[in-house]
Amino acid sequence: MPDHEREMEIVHLLRAATVELGLHSARFASRNGMHPTDVRALIALMDASRSGSDAEMTAGRLGALLGLNSAGTTAVVDRLERLGHVRRVRDERDRRRVLVEIDERAVELGWAFFGPLIGRAVELLEGYDERELAAIRGFLTGVRDAAAGANR
Amino acid sequence: MPDHEREMEIVHLLRAATVELGLHSARFASRNGMHPTDVRALIALMDASRSGSDAEMTAGRLGALLGLNSAGTTAVVDRLERLGHVRRVRDERDRRRVLVEIDERAVELGWAFFGPLIGRAVELLEGYDERELAAIRGFLTGVRDAAAGANR
DNA sequence: CCGAGTATCTCGCTGAACGAGATAATAGGC
DNA sequence: GCCTATTATCTCGTTCAGCGAGATACTCGG
């Protein structure tokens, strides 16, 4: 069995990076009177509207993404609505559904906090050539898929 | 301002990977009757004993690493002790302190669950040459430090 | 050997998330 | 066009992680 010292170092780096990113999110949460779950919800909403595929997010879909049951989902949306970060809008086509819309100021709040970190990451990436970027992309894609696929 | 589409794609990949890794940990937690915090505690204990620097972990140090106050720390150690994953050992040199030792079977449990994912990551990394590995290492290091340093 | 300091634990409380079930709206069979 | 099954969300009551305050146990310098 070869010794994987170099590879294991990177695996631990990845874990350390995820831990720090998690703590960074937690700082954003507590600094704005939110819970980690609320931040995850905001990020999910921003993702949905950016990737545009299905720009409108229902309460149910949001809850499923966060792994919450319906009661918990209601509570998250309540908290975010109370802080003015989202609005509940009845879907006129299917009036059973409630669309959750993110407020523009919540998006700005997020950018103000996470922007510098994202900017730093982009800056780092600009220092690499095509082949190096492909390696980073390939590794992250592989890890994401391995973690996502291992749920059986 | 250049358009950073390629770089932003990687930033989002990183975030997606961290989300999936977090969900993977959560699966380990709920499958073993633990809370996410308990898993973080076990990982912190394993890290400490692996990096060896200061192999013995006190209750207080563990709580600080997890960002818990003393009451919460006591509760985490209580839960892990009840499950048999850790032992409390009074430090004979300074009898105010309680050393938290991880049980060998908890380590095995962790390896059984996270081993395949780690193995897959190592496998991915084996497909890259020195320069590509350096790029991955450099990017992860930079992101970790940027996230850790941005707490002011 | 006493008082200040340090490490951990106990108690009572708040609030996130859960399970069960209520409410409201839609869709399809007849 | 109505009635039933289905879907989406919300309400109620409970559990339990984590917090603040303070109690307890131990150490160490003067």
Side-chain angles (χ1 to χ4, degrees):
Chain A
M1 196 209 247
D3 104 63
H4 292 121
E5 215 173 295
R6 269 196 345 286
E7 285 82 3
M8 282 307 285
E9 186 209 340
I10 293 181
V11 170
H12 282 115
L13 258 177
L14 174 62
R15 207 175 42 59
T18 65
V19 167
E20 291 302 334
L21 289 171
L23 293 175
H24 191 64
S25 277
R27 280 193 291 274
F28 175 68
S30 78
R31 200 175 291 188
N32 292 63
M34 289 191 263
H35 291 262
T37 302
D38 303 356
V39 177
R40 288 174 54 213
L42 284 181
I43 290 174
L45 286 167
M46 284 194 254
D47 269 11
S49 78
R50 184 174 38 71
S51 75
S53 60
D54 211 349
E56 51 188 30
M57 178 70 104
T58 66
R61 224 157 74 81
L62 180 61
L65 282 173
L66 300 176
L68 298 179
N69 72 2
S70 62
T73 303
T74 298
V76 171
V77 178
D78 280 352
R79 292 196 296 273
L80 290 176
E81 196 171 41
R82 203 176 315 129
L83 291 171
H85 294 328
V86 304
R87 289 178 298 278
R88 276 182 167 93
V89 181
R90 273 276 167 204
D91 186 345
E92 284 307 324
R93 296 200 264 231
D94 181 344
R95 294 183 47 75
R96 289 169 302 182
R97 307 203 301 168
V98 168
L99 303 180
V100 180
E101 289 178 1
I102 191 165
D103 190 278
E104 189 50 41
R105 284 173 310 180
V107 176
E108 282 163 25
L109 197 66
W111 267 102
F113 190 85
F114 290 104
L117 181 54
I118 294 173
R120 174 75 186 118
V122 168
E123 203 178 297
L124 281 165
L125 291 168
E126 279 168 348
Y128 298 115
D129 65 25
E130 250 345 295
R131 205 169 108 243
E132 291 167 325
L133 287 179
I136 294 170
R137 189 162 38 231
F139 178 60
L140 291 177
T141 303
V143 167
R144 181 200 58 186
D145 294 347
N151 34 355
R152 202 117 343 270
Chain B
M1 197 210 249
D3 106 61
H4 292 120
E5 215 172 296
R6 269 196 344 285
E7 284 84 2
M8 282 307 285
E9 187 210 339
I10 293 182
V11 169
H12 282 116
L13 257 178
L14 174 62
R15 209 177 39 59
T18 65
V19 167
E20 290 303 334
L21 289 172
L23 292 175
H24 191 63
S25 276
R27 280 192 291 274
F28 175 68
S30 78
R31 200 175 291 189
N32 292 74
M34 290 191 262
H35 291 262
T37 302
D38 303 355
V39 177
R40 288 174 54 213
L42 285 181
I43 290 173
L45 285 167
M46 284 194 255
D47 268 12
S49 78
R50 184 175 39 73
S51 74
S53 60
D54 211 349
E56 52 188 29
M57 178 70 103
T58 67
R61 224 158 74 81
L62 179 61
L65 283 173
L66 300 176
L68 298 179
N69 72 2
S70 63
T73 303
T74 298
V76 171
V77 178
D78 280 352
R79 292 196 296 272
L80 289 175
E81 195 171 42
R82 204 176 314 129
L83 291 171
H85 294 328
V86 303
R87 288 179 298 277
R88 274 183 169 94
V89 181
R90 275 277 167 201
D91 186 344
E92 285 306 324
R93 296 200 263 230
D94 181 344
R95 293 183 48 76
R96 290 170 303 183
R97 306 202 302 169
V98 169
L99 304 179
V100 181
E101 289 178 1
I102 191 165
D103 190 277
E104 189 50 41
R105 284 173 310 179
V107 176
E108 282 163 24
L109 197 66
W111 267 101
F113 189 86
F114 291 104
L117 181 54
I118 293 173
R120 174 74 186 119
V122 168
E123 202 178 298
L124 281 165
L125 291 168
E126 280 168 346
Y128 298 115
D129 65 26
E130 252 342 297
R131 205 169 109 242
E132 291 167 325
L133 287 179
I136 295 170
R137 187 162 40 232
F139 177 60
L140 291 178
T141 304
V143 167
R144 181 199 58 187
D145 294 347
N151 33 356
R152 202 124 340 270

